[in-house]
Amino acid sequence: MQLRYSFRLYPDSGQRTALAEAFGCARVVFNDAVRAREDARRAGEAFPAAGELSKKLITAAKQTASRAWLGEVSSVVLQQSLRDAEAAYRNFFASLKGERKGVKTGAPRFKSRKDKRQSIRFTANARWSITDSGRLNLPKVGAVKVKWSRTLPAQSSSVTVIKDAAGRYFASFVVDTDPAADAARMPDTDHTIGIDLGLTHFAALSGGTKIDSPRFLRRAEKKLKKAQRELSRKQKGSKNREKARLKVARAHAKVADARHEFHHQLSTKLIRDNQAIGVEDLAVKGLARTRLAKSVHDAGWSAFVHMLEYKAARCGRTLVKIGRFEPTSQTCSACGIKDGPKPLNVREWTCTACGTRHDRDHNAAINIKTAAGLAVSACGAPVRPGLVPAQREETGSHGFPPEPCAA
């Protein structure tokens, strides 16, 4: 399995200038590739091949006066920018043909120097290295200081240098992990669990535990509003506006980082303690169009479930998704009777069939675990709610002749 490890970079002033030049050159080559493709499309000609674009937009362009500055950065960065353009067109055409899963992607667009996120990629051909002192040595940039929060499990095949909207620099390494080492990290366990994700509590576990929702965005809303208000009052194009923009970006980055850390810690704990996990396949896009949109985005359910997926695959755990239309909140986990839909303000209810008092979230978590096939009896056989026989007055046609259906 390939994983990505990100570490914070602290370049000095000269290295920041060199990185800015590399970002700009990669952007120009990408835009030239998109322009060449668009010119060929308008002329009704075949799209130029990657090798032809490389000779024309990089090798030959360096010999001209208008593109001579392309030689000041690593050629690997420029080649990877061309590869990114090719990948963007492949994804676009695959999306048009219906071969690519997910939402349809649009045609590649020109990159702007005003884009707040910039990135360049160095492969092994660039001969980047990690020095004995722990610095990241990049060609034509220098040895950049790195904050190593952990050690890399294996040699990386490439490194991507990213500058985000808050002005921070990161080094992202792609690493191939060892499946045997991953399996040894977390020994097998016999625990299984069902998780009901929500807004009142971030997660309710079938074991009875409830995890409070941190609500990072809601807690930082007052500070964000103040920073955004100060930004709106600054003159466009001024240095003070750029300072205010950085302040807003850093405030949002702090919220996103806190949420990301919370998701990582909780998902790792659940994967470590349980052999199998059942979750519900929530329609996050649909919920994000309701009045609960801000709270839904603040919870970050999709990112959390994605972490559970890849961590379960890495550590040999089982993750089962049940359908979003499964009536987990309407079914009694004790007798299996479907008691009907209930408004969101009803947090506790009593089953009309068996009289069991249920907590809404805890009951849903148990039903998710059962629907995922993770509940077991004493002998180890899967347990699901048994079929409930219909009442006598609810069965049959009651002696009335069947009427023909209207066309």
Side-chain angles (χ1 to χ4, degrees), residues 164-401:
D164 66 0
R168 303 177 301 177
Y169 293 85
F170 295 91
S172 181
F173 299 89
V174 177
V175 175
D176 290 318
T177 61
D178 184 11
D182 293 338
R185 289 175 63 248
M186 294 186 182
D188 292 343
T189 177
D190 57 352
H191 291 215
T192 59
I193 201 168
I195 304 175
D196 177 58
L197 300 175
L199 297 179
T200 305
H201 294 86
F202 178 79
L205 309 182
S206 57
T209 305
K210 285 188 175 182
I211 301 168
D212 291 333
S213 180
R215 299 179 181 176
F216 297 106
L217 181 61
R218 294 289 187 180
R219 289 191 299 175
E221 216 166 14
K222 185 176 180 181
K223 181 179 180 180
L224 288 170
K225 285 182 179 179
K226 181 180 178 182
Q228 190 67 47
R229 188 165 53 245
E230 292 176 355
L231 173 63
S232 65
R233 292 172 178 171
K234 298 295 186 292
Q235 184 179 359
K236 291 186 177 180
S238 64
K239 292 184 178 180
N240 285 335
R241 184 177 178 87
E242 179 60 21
K243 294 178 183 178
R245 187 201 65 77
L246 279 176
K247 188 175 180 181
V248 173
R250 286 167 183 162
H252 278 288
K254 187 176 181 180
V255 172
D257 290 346
R259 184 187 301 114
H260 195 66
E261 181 68 15
F262 169 73
H263 287 166
H264 265 301
Q265 291 183 357
L266 179 58
S267 60
T268 300
K269 182 179 184 301
L270 294 174
I271 290 295
R272 182 182 63 243
D273 298 341
N274 301 279
Q275 186 67 29
I277 298 175
V279 294
E280 192 174 7
D281 184 19
L282 297 173
V284 177
K285 286 187 177 180
L287 293 171
R289 290 194 293 267
T290 66
R291 59 184 179 88
L292 302 174
K294 185 180 289 187
S295 298
V296 169
H297 286 304
D298 192 11
W301 294 328
S302 296
F304 176 71
V305 173
H306 174 68
M307 289 183 184
L308 287 176
E309 283 180 333
Y310 84 79
K311 290 180 181 180
R314 182 185 181 190
C315 300
R317 302 303 202 229
T318 302
L319 180 71
V320 181
K321 285 185 179 182
I322 68 169
R324 63 189 61 171
F325 299 109
E326 190 77 22
T328 56
S329 297
Q330 305 176 23
T331 306
C332 174
S333 59
C335 64
I337 289 290
K338 185 178 178 182
D339 207 13
K342 302 165 187 64
L344 289 177
N345 61 342
V346 177
R347 308 314 302 174
E348 293 184 357
W349 57 281
T350 302
C351 179
T352 56
C354 64
T356 306
R357 184 75 175 174
H358 290 295
D359 178 271
R360 181 191 183 105
D361 299 332
H362 181 214
N363 176 74
I366 296 176
N367 287 331
I368 290 173
K369 178 180 177 179
T370 304
L374 304 180
V376 295
S377 64
C379 61
V383 174
R384 290 183 181 269
L387 297 177
V388 179
Q391 299 299 321
R392 178 69 182 128
E393 60 272 12
E394 296 179 359
T395 59
S397 61
H398 307 285
F400 295 103

Side-chain angles (χ1 to χ4, degrees), residues 23-242:
F23 292 145
C25 292
R27 181 183 65 251
V28 168
V29 171
F30 182 91
N31 291 343
D32 289 345
V34 173
R35 186 177 295 107
R37 285 261 193 166
E38 288 299 310
D39 292 342
R41 183 184 64 83
R42 291 192 183 97
E45 301 174 354
F47 283 157
E52 181 183 350
L53 288 177
S54 177
K55 293 178 181 179
K56 178 181 177 182
L57 303 181
I58 298 179
T59 307
K62 291 180 180 180
Q63 310 301 323
T64 63
S66 59
R67 291 286 191 270
W69 34 265
L70 290 177
E72 298 177 4
V73 301
S74 173
S75 60
V76 173
V77 170
L78 308 181
Q79 293 289 346
Q80 294 302 310
S81 186
L82 278 182
R83 289 179 178 268
D84 291 340
E86 291 292 321
Y89 274 103
R90 282 198 304 270
N91 293 336
F92 170 58
F93 292 132
S95 181
L96 286 180
K97 298 176 183 178
E99 300 173 355
R100 189 174 187 270
K101 296 181 180 180
V103 297
K104 289 188 175 182
T105 59
R109 297 180 295 179
F110 295 114
K111 293 184 178 181
S112 172
R113 67 172 64 184
K114 296 182 180 180
D115 291 342
K116 302 310 176 185
R117 186 184 185 279
Q118 306 282 346
S119 66
I120 53 176
R121 185 168 61 254
F122 297 89
T123 59
N125 294 335
R127 297 183 181 179
W128 61 271
S129 61
I130 299 175
T131 63
D132 296 337
S133 59
R135 289 177 175 258
L136 179 61
N137 193 11
L138 300 174
K140 298 191 177 181
V141 175
V144 185
K145 182 181 178 182
V146 186
K147 180 65 175 180
W148 297 102
S149 56
R150 51 186 171 174
T151 58
L152 287 174
Q155 180 65 31
S156 175
S157 58
S158 67
V159 58
T160 303
V161 180
I162 303 168
K163 180 184 179 184
D164 66 0
R168 303 177 301 177
Y169 293 85
F170 295 91
S172 181
F173 299 89
V174 177
V175 175
D176 290 318
T177 61
D178 184 11
D182 293 338
R185 289 175 63 248
M186 294 186 182
D188 292 343
T189 177
D190 57 352
H191 291 215
T192 59
I193 201 168
I195 304 175
D196 177 58
L197 300 175
L199 297 179
T200 305
H201 294 86
F202 178 79
L205 309 182
S206 57
T209 305
K210 285 188 175 182
I211 301 168
D212 291 333
S213 180
R215 299 179 181 176
F216 297 106
L217 181 61
R218 294 289 187 180
R219 289 191 299 175
E221 216 166 14
K222 185 176 180 181
K223 181 179 180 180
L224 288 170
K225 285 182 179 179
K226 181 180 178 182
Q228 190 67 47
R229 188 165 53 245
E230 292 176 355
L231 173 63
S232 65
R233 292 172 178 171
K234 298 295 186 292
Q235 184 179 359
K236 291 186 177 180
S238 64
K239 292 184 178 180
N240 285 335
R241 184 177 178 87
E242 179 60 21

